[in-house]
């Protein structure tokens, strides 16, 4: 397998996370060894690459310039390594994916396991964040592919629908509203809700849909926010709050009778779960993974 110069790799890891400690863990070397490699690289270049601001690392102008170039170099190395592997009928390399929470927790793990079983020479990393974070990781070239739940707002990224989803209202079975034969939207204004954190693609879609019915986010009672569907599900079990979650996220809890779906008269929220990447044709392992994904969906 082709390898980027190790000193450059050390710089890349340290610059990506702005941490020598994280770089040492990622590369399985000591922190003094990271510092030594950076110092030797700085001596070769003749300029400092990092500044310290208390406990924080900051890239200098030279560091930012080198980082921009190294991102491209690493991608090119990985593409060449992938193509060389194909000459030996091997699929190998590093595949780095970013996905918003619902997709990362409930959809991708099974698919990644199947892809990994077929391609044992591929190393795969999955980063989980909200839609805004995934978009940013693409611009920073931290990931090669993204999967998001949010609406396509960033014009410099290409979005393609992969799955359909429905966001559903859920609460514990003891919630007082379940005593009613029908639940209308106006009754929900008086209920307490739990939402995801700002920047969540789920929030964007929910609030956009509610606005179509004349309900604004500030009209709803919301004292608690959590950054994952798992946390929200557990919170709902012990409170009378209502959550609005993906059907994928609550499928098991509804089947087990732990949570119950609230059917709200005349109101549904459908959304698309999207593949997102930088404009241009995908190549190498990202392209290979998308081919596998399309084949899986067609089955």
């Amino acid at each position: 397998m082709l390898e980027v110069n190790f000193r450059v790799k050390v710089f890349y890891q340290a610059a990506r996370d702005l941490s020598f400690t994280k770089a040492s863990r990622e590369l399985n070397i000591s922190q003094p060894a990271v510092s030594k490699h950076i110092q030797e690289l700085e001596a070769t270049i003749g300029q400092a690459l990092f500044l310290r601001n208390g406990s924080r690392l900051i890239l200098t102008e030279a560091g930012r310039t080198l980082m921009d170039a190294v991102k491209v170099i690493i991608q090119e190395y990985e593409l060449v390594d992938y193509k060389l592997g194909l000459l030996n009928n091997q699929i190998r390399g590093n595949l780095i994916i970013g996905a918003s929470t619902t997709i990362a927790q409930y959809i991708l793990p099974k698919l990644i396991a199947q892809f990994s079983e077929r391609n044992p020479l591929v190393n795969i990393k999955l980063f989980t964040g909200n839609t805004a974070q995934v978009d940013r990781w693409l611009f920073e070239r931290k990931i090669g592919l993204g999967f998001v739940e949010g609406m396509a707002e960033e014009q410099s990224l290409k979005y393609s629908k992969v799955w359909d989803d429905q966001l559903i209202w859920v609460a514990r079975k003891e919630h007082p509203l379940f005593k009613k034969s029908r639940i209308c939207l106006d009754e929900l204004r008086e209920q307490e809700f739990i939402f995801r954190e700002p920047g969540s693609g789920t929030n964007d879609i929910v609030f956009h849909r509610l606005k179509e019915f004349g309900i604004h986010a500030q009209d709803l009672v919301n004292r608690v926010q959590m950054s994952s569907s798992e946390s929200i599900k557990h919170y709902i079990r012990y409170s009378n709050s209502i959550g609005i979650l993906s059907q994928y996220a609550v499928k098991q809890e509804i089947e087990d009778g732990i949570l119950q779906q609230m059917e709200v008269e005349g109101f549904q929220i459908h959304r698309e779960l999207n593949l997102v990447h930088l404009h241009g044709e995908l190549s190498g392992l990202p392209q290979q993974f998308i081919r596998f994904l399309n084949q899986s969906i067609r089955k």
Side-chain angles (χ1 to χ4, degrees), residues 195-234:
F195 289 122
R196 289 280 308 278
E197 81 290 355
S200 158
T202 298
N203 280 2
D204 292 342
I205 293 167
V206 168
F207 296 151
H208 183 269
R209 180 71 170 138
L210 287 170
K211 195 173 180 181
E212 293 176 357
F213 285 76
I215 299 176
H216 298 270
Q218 58 267 29
D219 297 335
L220 301 174
V221 180
N222 170 226
R223 296 183 298 112
V224 178
Q225 296 178 350
M226 294 187 178
S227 61
S228 77
S229 298
E230 288 297 309
S231 299
I232 290 174
K233 287 190 296 184
H234 284 289

Side-chain angles (χ1 to χ4, degrees), residues 154-170:
E154 185 54 66
Q155 297 299 314
S156 50
L157 295 174
K158 183 177 180 180
Y159 296 79
S160 307
K161 187 187 88 167
V162 184
W163 302 281
D164 287 304
D165 188 18
Q166 185 176 351
L167 296 173
I168 59 178
W169 312 75
V170 290

Side-chain angles (χ1 to χ4, degrees), residues 95 138 171 203 213 240 249:
L95 176 62
L138 283 166
N203 280 2
F213 285 76
N240 277 333

